[in-house]
């Protein structure tokens, strides 16, 4: 289930590192007081339709933003909360919400990243390495992360996730959220396996920290 939020134009400049506003709004609507992101079965896109300004972004015609869930009950709860408290950030307010059912997919699909895909691994000292799209280990960790989410949802489907190596415009971005810097990837991903696993991935996102604005796909 995917909810598309259409926001009014901003009245204040939206800072370049605005993602914490979206996370805060999401948790406000869900009435959560802390980040529940160990295993997030949902994903948050970034804002769309912005124009770069001197100190951030402007959305003169309003912004688009989507949130996807595997558990449709959470989505229904979110709609009610957003209608009661539609403020998002920088003067932008929810003016319309459209609900999209999860599409049917084949056993192999390519998706574009609506928010950059973040993937990491830890060494024996728990030191994290942020993996980039051209790292030979990246696909393994993308796949293992999705399998872990499937297991959390009590689903047992075959699946494989990989960055699209044929895409020549891939890039990375250093994202700072609440003082934490993460190097993430703007690169399409290819998901292969049971079509139900593909549908699951479309909702929960790809990689780590999907509940913090990473890995939303379309």
């Amino acid at each position: 289930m995917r909810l598309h939020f259409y926001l009014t134009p901003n009245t204040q400049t939206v800072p370049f590192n605005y993602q914490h506003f979206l996370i805060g709004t999401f948790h406000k609507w869900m009435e959560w007081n802390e980040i529940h992101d160990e295993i997030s079965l949902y994903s948050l896109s970034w804002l769309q339709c912005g124009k770069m300004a001197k100190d951030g972004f402007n959305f003169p015609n309003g912004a688009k933003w989507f949130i996807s869930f595997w558990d449709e009950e959470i989505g229904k709860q979110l709609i009610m909360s957003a209608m009661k408290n539609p403020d998002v950030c920088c003067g932008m307010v929810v003016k319309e919400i459209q609900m999209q059912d999860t599409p049917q997919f084949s056993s192999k699909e390519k998706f574009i990243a609506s928010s950059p895909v973040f993937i990491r691994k830890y060494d024996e000292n728990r030191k994290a390495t942020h993996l980039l799209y051209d790292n030979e280990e990246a696909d393994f960790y993308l796949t293992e992360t999705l399998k872990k989410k499937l297991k959390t949802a009590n689903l047992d489907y075959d699946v494989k996730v990989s960055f699209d190596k044929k895409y020549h415009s891939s890039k990375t971005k250093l994202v700072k959220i609440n003082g934490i810097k993460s190097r993430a990837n703007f690169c399409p991903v290819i998901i292969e396996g049971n079509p139900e696993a593909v549908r699951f991935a479309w909702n929960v996102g790809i990689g780590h920290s999907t509940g913090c604005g990473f890995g939303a796909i379309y």
Side-chain angles (χ1 to χ4, degrees):
M1 179 186 193
R2 179 163 293 181
L3 299 180
H4 296 271
F5 296 88
Y6 295 85
L7 313 181
T8 60
N10 58 303
T11 58
Q12 304 171 32
T13 300
V14 179
F16 290 119
N17 293 315
Y18 64 79
Q19 289 73 24
H20 67 284
F21 287 127
L22 303 183
I23 299 168
T25 297
F26 171 69
H27 286 269
K28 173 187 68 176
W29 288 340
M30 296 309 301
E31 299 180 353
W32 290 343
N33 295 319
E34 54 187 83
I35 300 297
H36 293 73
D37 198 46
E38 185 64 27
I39 296 291
S40 300
L41 301 184
Y42 49 87
S43 58
L44 286 65
S45 78
W46 284 9
L47 296 176
Q48 302 171 24
C49 305
K51 296 183 178 181
M52 190 174 293
K54 180 180 179 181
D55 299 315
F57 298 102
N58 285 318
F59 296 84
N61 299 314
K64 296 179 182 179
W65 176 37
F66 70 77
I67 304 175
S68 301
F69 308 84
W70 180 246
D71 184 349
E72 294 190 0
E73 290 302 315
I74 294 179
K76 293 175 183 178
Q77 177 183 340
L78 194 80
I79 292 174
M80 298 300 295
S81 297
M83 292 174 65
K84 292 178 181 178
N85 191 352
D87 293 335
V88 177
C89 69
C90 303
M92 292 188 291
V93 177
V94 176
K95 65 177 181 180
E96 182 181 351
I97 305 173
Q98 292 185 3
M99 184 172 63
Q100 180 184 5
D101 291 333
T102 305
Q104 298 296 325
F105 293 114
S106 69
S107 59
K108 183 177 181 179
E109 298 281 355
K110 182 170 79 170
F111 297 99
I112 305 299
S114 182
S115 54
V117 178
F118 175 55
I119 192 71
R120 62 180 172 237
K121 71 170 185 176
Y122 292 97
D123 63 17
E124 62 275 8
N125 297 316
R126 296 296 294 170
K127 181 179 179 181
T129 299
H130 299 179
L131 301 178
L132 306 186
Y133 59 89
D134 57 355
N135 187 294
E136 61 182 13
E137 294 183 287
D139 294 352
F140 170 80
Y141 284 95
L142 286 178
T143 300
E144 289 302 302
T145 301
L146 183 56
K147 286 182 176 179
K148 189 174 182 180
K149 290 192 174 189
L150 283 164
K151 184 177 180 180
T152 299
N154 295 315
L155 300 173
D156 184 17
Y157 297 127
D158 291 330
V159 70
K160 177 184 177 182
V161 188
S162 59
F163 284 117
D164 183 3
K165 306 300 189 299
K166 296 181 180 179
Y167 185 72
H168 298 298
S169 298
S170 298
K171 60 183 180 180
T172 67
K173 181 176 178 62
L174 186 63
V175 183
K176 185 177 181 181
I177 300 176
N178 293 328
I180 300 175
K181 295 180 180 180
S182 303
R183 176 68 66 177
N185 304 274
F186 276 110
C187 178
V189 294
I190 298 170
I191 305 176
E192 303 174 70
N194 188 297
E196 289 302 314
V198 179
R199 298 179 80 237
F200 178 82
W202 185 82
N203 283 305
V204 305
I206 295 298
H208 291 117
S209 300
T210 59
C212 290
F214 292 100
I217 58 176
Y218 68 97

